[in-house]
């Protein structure tokens, strides 16, 4: 990988020469602006407003626009004399738990490589110290003409640095949360938990950009004159739905997609039906629930009475059978006795 910055990590009195390399790359498909009438390329030209002519890059500098619209020229010599100690140094200022970093502050990611053999030992020392402490290092560095905040952490056997936004660059979420008070029932939370358990975890390496793949297919079809891909069906948004029914359907669909049983983390995620609830767009009323409970009790009482009647009938039959057997034996004994007397 090509380095984009050379400098050193300042770790107390220890200096570690390093090279900075981009840890990410952009795979997005970019477009050019064209004239729809003839397909000609639309280009932007840098033109001076005073002379109304195009200006080469060698004659372009920097300027700050004041509140009244006037421009104040800023030269490279002006920027060189600024008191910027981090111009060529990644200065570590603190070590904190990773949970102390708000993910909203995360920016671009970089890899730090030891620059030369002498830097190998202090580089390894810092890497192992970060591993053992289970902390991240907060640092200040300068890149592309401005000072930035960074976070150093260990990725495999490499020290990675994430650019961080300054705390005052994070907006407060005022007016973003729903303004109306909404109560969530325990049954709804149970179904949401079941859906989360069913979906489980995913290998990040298995995720890919479906839109980019479709765009590549579209461009290939345009070039080769093939069949253009069909548009995906539009999903309706903003519709008022039965939340419970949607959650239950989502759990069943996730279970079917993840195999029979929907196992996640060794446990089965099950849909717990809500007693006394009808599958309708509106929520069930309390009176309906009471009626359902009363009907259930009556049904259970009928079943119990029927079972008792069946047992009683069986007992009666058994008693009758026993009496019949006893009578038959007695009758046989009477018939046998006269025959014995006659023989005598």
């Amino acid at each position: 990988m090509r380095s984009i910055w050379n400098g050193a990590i300042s770790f107390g009195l220890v200096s570690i020469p390093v090279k900075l390399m981009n840890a990410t790359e952009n795979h997005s498909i970019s477009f050019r602006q064209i004239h729809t009438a003839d397909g000609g390329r639309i280009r932007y030209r840098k033109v001076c407003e005073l002379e109304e002519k195009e200006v080469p890059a060698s004659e372009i500098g920097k300027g700050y626009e004041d509140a009244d619209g006037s421009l104040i020229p800023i030269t490279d010599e002006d920027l060189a004399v600024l008191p910027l100690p981090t111009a060529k140094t990644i200065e570590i200022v603190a070590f904190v738990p990773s949970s102390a970093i708000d993910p909203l502050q995360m920016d671009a990611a970089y890899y730090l490589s030891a620059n030369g053999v002498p830097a190998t030992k202090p580089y390894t020392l810092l890497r192992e110290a970060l591993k053992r402490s289970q902390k991240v290092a907060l640092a200040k560095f300068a890149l592309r003409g401005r000072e930035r905040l960074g976070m150093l952490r260990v990725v495999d056997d490499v020290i990675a640095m994430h650019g961080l936004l300054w705390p005052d660059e994070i907006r407060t979420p005022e007016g973003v949360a729903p303004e109306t008070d909404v109560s969530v029932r325990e049954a709804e939370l149970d179904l949401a938990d079941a859906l989360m358990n069913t979906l489980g975890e995913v290998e990040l390496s298995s995720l890919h950009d479906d839109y980019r793949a479709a765009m590549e297919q579209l461009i290939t079809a345009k070039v080769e004159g093939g069949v253009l891909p069909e548009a995906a069906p539009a999903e309706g948004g903003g519709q008022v739905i039965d939340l419970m029914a949607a959650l239950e359907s989502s759990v069943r669909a996730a279970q079917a997609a993840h195999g029979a049983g929907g196992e996640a983390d060794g446990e089965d995620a099950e849909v717990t039906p809500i007693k006394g609830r009808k599958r309708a767009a509106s929520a069930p009323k309390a009176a309906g629930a009471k009626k359902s409970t009363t009907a259930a009790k009556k049904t259970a009482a009928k079943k119990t009475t029927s079972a008792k009647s069946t047992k009683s009938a069986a007992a009666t039959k058994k008693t009758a059978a026993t009496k019949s057997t006893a009578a038959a034996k007695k009758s046989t004994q009477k018939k046998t006795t006269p025959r014995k007397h006659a023989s005598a």
Side-chain angles (χ1 to χ4, degrees):
M1 286 185 282
R2 185 176 62 87
S3 63
I4 60 173
W5 181 90
N6 290 343
I9 300 175
S10 175
F11 178 32
L13 298 178
V14 179
S15 181
I16 310 171
V18 293
K19 295 185 293 184
L20 190 71
M21 290 157 283
N22 284 318
T24 60
E25 55 188 0
N26 187 4
H27 290 165
S28 299
I29 297 175
S30 59
F31 296 99
R32 305 294 185 187
Q33 290 186 334
I34 62 172
H35 186 197
T36 56
D38 54 15
R41 173 81 177 274
I42 303 297
R43 297 181 180 272
Y44 291 97
R45 303 183 186 276
K46 298 179 180 180
V47 177
C48 176
E49 291 182 350
L50 299 179
E51 298 181 356
E52 295 184 354
K53 68 175 184 179
E54 188 175 354
V55 179
S58 59
E59 297 181 9
I60 298 177
K62 300 180 181 69
Y64 175 79
E65 186 174 2
D66 204 356
D68 59 359
S70 60
L71 294 173
I72 303 172
I74 303 294
T75 65
D76 293 338
E77 290 75 14
D78 296 333
L79 297 175
V81 298
L82 288 177
L84 190 60
T86 58
K88 284 293 182 180
T89 305
I90 300 173
E91 181 184 355
I92 295 177
V93 297
F95 291 89
V96 298
S98 58
S99 59
I101 305 299
D102 190 340
L104 285 174
Q105 290 184 256
M106 293 288 189
D107 202 357
Y110 308 94
Y111 288 137
L112 293 172
S113 172
N115 192 2
V117 177
T120 304
K121 181 65 178 289
Y123 182 94
T124 306
L125 173 64
L126 176 59
R127 183 191 66 194
E128 297 303 317
L130 288 172
K131 281 184 179 180
R132 190 168 72 170
S133 67
Q134 296 183 349
K135 293 183 178 181
V136 297
L138 280 179
K140 295 170 67 178
F141 67 102
L143 184 65
R144 298 186 179 96
R146 59 183 289 253
E147 190 173 51
R148 303 166 186 258
L149 189 64
M151 179 191 74
L152 275 64
R153 69 184 184 98
V154 178
V155 178
D156 296 334
D157 289 331
V158 176
I159 298 177
M161 182 173 68
H162 295 268
L164 300 178
L165 299 174
W166 295 99
D168 60 357
E169 293 179 322
I170 304 297
R171 291 181 174 180
T172 56
E174 294 180 359
V176 179
E179 297 180 358
T180 57
D181 293 333
V182 179
S183 60
V184 179
R185 294 181 293 173
E186 290 294 328
E188 293 170 340
L189 287 174
D190 292 341
L191 280 173
D193 289 340
L195 179 58
M196 293 167 61
N197 293 333
T198 304
L199 292 176
E201 299 180 356
V202 66
E203 289 290 337
L204 291 180
S205 58
S206 65
L207 302 178
H208 58 277
D209 189 350
D210 293 329
Y211 180 81
R212 181 169 62 91
M215 183 60 65
E216 292 174 349
Q217 182 182 358
L218 172 64
I219 294 173
T220 303
K222 284 274 191 177
V223 173
E224 299 178 355
V227 180
L228 298 179
E230 296 181 0
E235 296 182 0
Q239 298 178 355
V240 179
I241 61 172
D242 184 352
L243 183 58
M244 295 299 297
L247 285 171
E248 291 174 0
S249 301
S250 300
V251 172
R252 293 190 179 92
Q255 287 176 346
H258 288 73
E263 295 184 357
D265 296 334
E267 297 181 357
D268 291 342
E270 299 179 354
V271 179
T272 305
I274 302 174
K275 296 180 180 179
R277 177 183 173 274
K278 299 179 180 179
R279 292 187 177 277
S282 59
K285 296 182 180 179
K290 289 182 179 180
K291 290 180 180 179
S292 300
T293 306
T294 305
K297 287 183 178 180
K298 288 182 179 180
T299 304
K302 288 181 179 179
K303 289 183 178 179
T304 305
T305 304
S306 177
K308 287 182 179 180
S309 300
T310 305
K311 288 183 179 179
S312 177
T316 303
K317 288 182 180 181
K318 187 175 182 180
T319 304
T322 304
K323 288 182 179 180
S324 300
T325 305
K329 287 183 178 181
K330 190 173 180 180
S331 176
T332 305
Q333 288 178 356
K334 287 181 178 181
K335 291 180 179 179
T336 306
T337 303
R339 287 180 182 179
K340 287 184 180 181
H341 285 293
S343 176

